[in-house]
Amino acid sequence: MSSAAVMATALERLDALAAARGLSLTRDASMAPLTTLRVGGPADRLAAPESVEELVSLLEVAAEAGVPAFLLGKGSDIVVADAGIRGLVIRTRADEVSIDGRRLRAEAGTSMTALAKRCAREGLAGFDWAISIPGSFGGAVWANAGAHGGEMAQVLREIEAWDPAARRRVVLAPADCAFSYRESRFKHTGEVVLAATIELERGEPEAISARIAEHQAQRKATQPLADQNAGSVFRNPPGDHAGRLIDAAGLKGHRIGSAQVSTLHANFIVTDRGTGRAADVRAVGDHVRRTVAERFGIHLQYEIEFVGDWPPGALDEAG
């Protein structure tokens, strides 16, 4: 039996199991409108759970059906293949937030920008940097996201996750999560972040809001927010900045097809509205990596993730 036939059979089983549990699935759902880069083909199935319990149920039925599950937050930092994603995409919308003193627990689908503003209103300091993270709270934990000198590992105290091997919920301490620059165990184990607790300091709401406004003004002045982009394309190499290297290589504005290096910030790739192609984004990114390596001997690592059904060889370049 071909791999396509195996997947078709597994999807039929998924449909039946989801229906039995009252879980709603959408067939052949377009992914481009659900990502900030606005590229990519359809997902075989799409679900949008409103609660952690529903999210866990979807993970359970996907595992039982033998269908791969991909977690989607706010759609930043990813490039979905033009052929789409095989299996089930779960667009996490569980976003309940609770506060107990200086501790805050948020579910995976919570908006990072909304959470930063909530912390300011509550007089909780030390999370103002999160205003510049356009993704979800769960995704930020997964990637150890950061900005303006702050990152998730600095404030996390407890992480609730789904263990696909044991098929159960687990609670982890930050020390167990192998956090480093834009890295965590979750990128390698397949565990799914369900919720997490952070601990902050007390501060004056007005002062925190002022810092948030400063971050927003800096981001607006230096990043192509009006253009379709997925955020920073490459990780900063030790002691340097990817954007500086790309700019020094003369690559601002370099275009391949529907994608180009931003003329405002060289560590961003932007796409044409309505006609953007994931393959063009990858082609631009790989050209940038090769050119910077040839010019400066530095091998840039991708920060964005390339997901879905890419053609054989399309992702051969390391990193």
Side-chain angles (χ1 to χ4, degrees):
M1 185 181 293
S2 69
S3 58
V6 171
M7 177 60 74
T9 300
L11 288 169
E12 289 177 3
R13 181 163 173 74
L14 174 68
D15 291 337
L17 291 170
R21 292 203 187 190
L23 300 170
S24 178
L25 304 180
T26 301
R27 293 177 177 236
D28 300 320
S30 177
M31 290 295 295
L34 305 182
T35 71
T36 59
L37 198 55
R38 298 292 191 268
V39 300
D44 289 333
R45 300 291 187 274
L46 173 70
E50 300 281 350
S51 68
V52 167
E53 289 69 28
E54 189 180 356
L55 168 57
V56 170
S57 291
L58 286 161
L59 291 168
E60 289 174 338
V61 297
E64 186 174 347
V67 171
F70 175 76
L71 272 291
L72 177 70
K74 303 302 180 185
S76 61
D77 297 321
I78 64 168
V79 185
V80 177
D82 294 313
I85 300 180
R86 305 288 70 79
L88 171 65
V89 172
I90 303 175
R91 190 187 186 201
T92 313
R93 301 179 69 179
D95 60 358
E96 184 175 319
V97 176
S98 59
I99 298 175
D100 182 7
R102 293 188 297 112
R103 290 204 167 202
L104 179 152
R105 178 187 180 274
E107 294 179 339
T110 305
S111 160
M112 284 287 281
T113 55
L115 196 58
K117 293 177 181 179
R118 170 78 179 271
C119 288
R121 293 195 300 271
E122 299 285 346
L124 293 173
F127 204 62
D128 51 276
W129 54 267
I131 196 68
S132 295
I133 308 298
S136 66
F137 187 70
V141 174
W142 179 85
N144 189 25
H148 310 295
E151 65 178 14
M152 291 301 297
Q154 296 170 351
V155 296
L156 281 166
R157 296 296 177 267
E158 185 176 271
I159 300 92
E160 302 163 42
W162 169 258
D163 182 342
R167 296 192 185 182
R168 64 185 179 90
R169 296 168 73 158
V170 296
V171 177
L172 303 169
D176 300 325
C177 297
F179 288 121
S180 61
Y181 175 59
R182 304 299 179 264
E183 274 291 343
S184 77
R185 67 184 273 172
F186 304 108
K187 287 192 171 188
H188 310 284
T189 63
E191 294 164 306
V192 175
V193 176
L194 304 175
T197 298
I198 61 176
E199 185 173 6
L200 304 171
E201 301 296 328
R202 284 293 177 191
E204 292 297 325
E206 294 80 6
I208 302 168
S209 295
R211 285 196 293 275
I212 285 177
E214 290 174 5
H215 295 326
Q216 288 179 307
Q218 179 186 357
R219 188 165 175 252
K220 184 177 181 181
T222 60
Q223 298 181 10
L225 303 185
D227 297 319
Q228 296 173 166
N229 72 85
S232 296
V233 175
F234 300 103
R235 302 182 187 189
N236 288 325
D240 210 334
H241 291 88
R244 187 199 71 78
L245 291 165
I246 299 166
D247 191 3
L251 291 169
K252 270 189 175 180
H254 181 80
R255 171 180 287 271
I256 297 177
S258 62
Q260 72 171 45
V261 177
S262 169
T263 57
L264 182 61
H265 192 309
N267 199 20
F268 284 73
I269 293 175
V270 300
T271 56
D272 295 341
R273 295 184 182 277
T275 60
R277 296 181 66 249
D280 293 339
V281 175
R282 181 70 192 207
V284 171
D286 285 347
H287 176 77
V288 166
R289 295 182 76 231
R290 287 192 297 270
T291 303
V292 169
E294 290 167 1
R295 288 284 304 277
F296 307 113
I298 295 175
H299 297 274
L300 296 176
Q301 289 185 292
Y302 280 112
E303 182 171 325
I304 55 176
E305 300 282 332
F306 295 87
V307 302
D309 190 10
W310 289 83
L315 306 183
D316 280 352
E317 291 204 22

